[in-house]
């Protein structure tokens, strides 16, 4: 097993990889003690025989003294080499944060597997078993990848995440070419390659905080506290829960402390947050929230059938139609439409992802005809039959 620890060795491998049609990529990282993921290991493989062989699959140690990842980033920008990942989102976020780039062209085998009928959000281990007919050793799944030296077991585990990925990619790519669905996957890659996918704006952080009230005054304080927490965590590269947890944030939004003494009476706030910069930031955020003019107060996002005025019978019919079309087309239901999409359609909304792009052909067109009373559904043995009216 080859572990690359120098820029020169990485450049040599990347030059070799650039002569191949694709390279498989995976990473190992830690995020328990930081806001941003700490990149600890990169695995790379180019086309070759099954299993890692010299010159075809390598480990790259980004923690090695003096190593630069610039040769790898140049490979990531090479339009002639497809970069193959499985469940790429977290890996791509790392490279976007560290280098301001997203590998292109990109192929995500999890998305492709959903298009090819392997199920919803199918895991890598399942694809290795079903396509490569192999079994992964997962004994090193929970490990500290920042510690050195890496054991042979860790290295073997890490390489397995890119060596079998070659066969999985080739099988899925062939399936897509035969079915004519490669453009479907390319359409999905547009979301993964959009930098906005990985951008977390502090001003929008409040939307992830679950509240039980729609009061504009309360939500104003929640918004300002969440904005401060996110910005502080980003600037210090610490987990947001190290600043304050959601339950503490909601408590502060309710009690609205105005002084350090008020802050000290919080039941849920961490001790470290009761003084210094965090305490000052919390009090300033509460003050800003309390003083928010009514016209600038946030409005809760639509949530729930009752607010959407969903036709429940129609929503249930859409679910049956989705299941039928998913089975007929061998495409994962969750990739075609979410439960929220179906409720939006049943509420009369038409600017819905499930109605556009490749989904329109698979499901959206029939969904609209069902809503317009032009289709009916009937049981046909163990399946559902779509009937033209």
């Amino acid at each position: 097993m080859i572990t690359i620890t120098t820029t020169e060795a990485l450049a040599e491998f990347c030059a070799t990889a650039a002569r191949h049609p694709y390279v498989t990529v995976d990473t190992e990282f830690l995020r328990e003690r930081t806001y941003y993921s700490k990149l600890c290991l990169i695995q790379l493989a180019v086309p070759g025989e099954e299993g890692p062989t010299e010159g075809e699959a390598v480990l790259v140690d980004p923690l090695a003294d003096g190593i630069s990842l610039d040769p790898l980033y140049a490979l990531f920008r090479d339009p002639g080499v497809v970069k193959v990942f499985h469940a790429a989102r977290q890996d791509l976020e790392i490279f976007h944060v560290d280098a301001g780039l997203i590998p292109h062209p990109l192929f995500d085998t999890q998305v492709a597997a959903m298009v090819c009928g392997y199920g919803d959000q199918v895991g890598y281990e399942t694809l290795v078993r079903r396509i490569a007919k192999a079994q992964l050793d997962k004994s090193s799944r929970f490990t500290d990848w920042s510690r050195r030296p890496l054991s042979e077991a860790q290295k073997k585990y890490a390489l397995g995440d890119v060596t079998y990925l070659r066969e999985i990619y080739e099988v899925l790519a062939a399936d897509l070419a035969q079915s004519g669905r490669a453009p479907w996957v390319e359409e999905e890659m547009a979301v993964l390659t959009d930098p906005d996918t990985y951008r977390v704006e502090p001003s929008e952080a409040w939307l992830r905080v679950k509240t039980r009230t729609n009061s504009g005054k309360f939500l104003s304080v929640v918004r300002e506290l969440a904005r401060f927490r996110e910005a502080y965590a980003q600037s210090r590269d610490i987990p947001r829960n190290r600043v304050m947890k959601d339950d503490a944030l909601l408590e502060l939004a309710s009690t609205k402390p105005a002084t350090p003494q008020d802050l000290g009476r919080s039941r849920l706030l961490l001790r470290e947050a009761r003084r210094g910069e965090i305490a000052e930031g919390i009090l300033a955020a509460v003050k800003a929230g309390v003083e928010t003019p009514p016209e600038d107060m946030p409005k809760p996002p639509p949530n729930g059938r009752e607010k959407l005025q969903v036709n429940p019978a129609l929503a249930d019919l859409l679910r049956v139609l989705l299941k039928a079309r998913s089975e007929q087309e061998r495409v994962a239901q969750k990739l075609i439409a979410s439960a929220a999409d179906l409720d939006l359609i049943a509420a009369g909304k038409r600017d819905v992802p499930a109605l556009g792009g490749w989904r329109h052909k698979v499901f959206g067109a029939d969904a609209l005809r069902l809503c317009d009373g032009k289709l009916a559904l009937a049981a046909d043995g163990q399946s559902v039959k779509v009937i033209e009216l």
Side-chain angles (χ1 to χ4, degrees):
M1 285 178 277
I2 299 173
T3 301
I4 292 175
T5 59
T6 67
T7 306
E8 293 73 22
L10 178 59
E12 183 178 349
F13 177 83
C14 289
T16 299
R19 296 193 289 269
H20 290 275
Y22 70 85
V23 58
T24 56
V25 189
D26 191 39
T27 69
E28 305 297 344
F29 55 87
L30 294 178
R31 199 171 191 169
E32 288 80 6
R33 298 184 293 274
T34 58
Y35 181 90
Y36 300 105
S37 297
K38 179 182 179 181
L39 182 60
C40 298
L41 193 67
I42 306 166
Q43 305 96 282
L44 304 167
V46 294
E49 298 297 325
E50 181 180 339
T53 58
E54 187 170 341
E56 294 173 353
V58 298
L59 304 174
V60 181
D61 186 354
L63 304 182
D65 290 339
I67 192 170
S68 168
L69 298 181
D70 286 347
L72 178 62
Y73 296 148
L75 178 65
F76 282 172
R77 295 186 183 96
D78 188 334
V81 182
V82 178
K83 273 62 73 170
V84 181
F85 292 77
H86 181 82
R89 183 163 181 150
Q90 285 188 298
D91 302 309
L92 299 182
E93 181 183 12
I94 291 172
F95 296 126
H96 180 257
V97 170
D98 284 1
L101 69 85
I102 297 173
H104 182 80
L106 177 73
F107 188 98
D108 189 322
T109 55
Q110 185 177 70
V111 175
M114 294 170 75
V115 169
C116 292
Y118 287 85
D120 291 325
Q121 296 179 316
V122 61
Y124 180 65
E125 189 174 2
T126 299
L127 292 181
V128 170
R129 186 173 64 252
R130 294 177 63 179
I131 294 178
K133 310 301 181 185
Q135 204 73 28
L136 285 178
D137 176 11
K138 306 303 286 185
S139 59
S140 296
R141 177 180 297 179
F142 303 106
T143 189
D144 185 349
W145 291 102
S146 67
R147 297 186 66 179
R148 295 295 184 269
L150 295 173
S151 69
E152 291 303 307
Q154 286 175 308
K155 293 179 181 180
K156 180 180 178 182
Y157 166 88
L159 278 178
D161 283 343
V162 289
T163 51
Y164 296 114
L165 191 55
R166 298 176 295 195
E167 184 177 357
I168 291 169
Y169 166 67
E170 292 177 2
V171 168
L172 293 176
D175 190 335
L176 292 169
Q178 183 177 8
S179 65
R181 294 180 177 181
W184 298 11
V185 175
E186 291 173 9
E187 191 175 321
E188 296 305 300
M189 293 303 98
V191 176
L192 287 174
T193 55
D194 184 352
D196 287 342
T197 301
Y198 310 99
R199 189 174 293 121
V200 180
E201 295 294 342
S203 60
E204 299 175 359
W206 71 278
L207 294 169
R208 294 194 305 271
V209 181
K210 295 180 180 179
T211 65
R212 295 183 178 180
T213 176
N214 294 332
S215 163
K217 291 183 179 180
F218 180 82
L219 291 177
S220 294
V221 181
V222 169
R223 180 177 63 184
E224 296 305 319
L225 285 170
R227 185 203 308 267
F228 162 71
R229 178 177 68 173
E230 204 73 23
Y232 188 90
Q234 289 178 349
S235 66
R236 302 301 192 281
D237 193 19
I238 59 174
R240 61 177 66 90
N241 283 348
R242 286 268 303 276
V243 183
M244 62 181 127
K245 296 182 178 180
D246 280 2
D247 55 357
L249 187 153
L250 294 173
E251 179 195 37
L252 295 172
S254 177
T255 58
K256 301 177 181 60
T259 67
Q261 291 72 29
D262 294 339
L263 204 59
R265 287 190 281 271
S266 169
R267 296 180 300 107
L268 302 173
L269 196 61
L270 296 172
R271 182 178 303 173
E272 296 80 4
R274 298 169 187 263
R275 57 181 181 273
E277 290 182 332
I278 297 181
E280 293 172 5
I282 288 173
L283 293 175
V286 170
K287 184 174 185 295
V290 169
E291 296 176 354
T292 300
E295 63 270 19
D296 294 334
M297 290 178 179
K299 296 178 175 58
N303 183 31
R305 286 186 168 199
E306 67 286 349
K307 296 176 184 176
L308 282 172
Q309 296 184 329
V310 174
N311 179 333
L314 180 56
D316 289 341
L317 285 174
L318 287 168
R319 282 163 173 74
V320 175
L321 175 64
L322 175 62
K323 186 175 187 301
R325 300 298 286 136
S326 170
E327 292 175 351
Q328 291 165 6
E329 296 289 342
R330 293 194 314 117
V331 182
Q333 289 187 49
K334 288 183 179 179
L335 189 64
I336 300 173
S338 66
D341 285 340
L342 300 181
D343 283 346
L344 287 169
I345 296 169
K349 305 295 183 180
R350 294 300 177 256
D351 184 18
V352 180
L355 299 179
W358 64 266
R359 293 172 175 82
H360 181 78
K361 176 182 177 182
V362 173
F363 169 75
D366 282 349
L368 292 174
R369 289 157 70 202
L370 180 68
C371 293
D372 292 339
K374 297 177 181 179
L375 285 183
L377 304 175
D380 184 15
Q382 297 297 315
S383 61
V384 173
K385 181 167 59 176
V386 178
I387 302 172
E388 298 278 351
L389 297 179

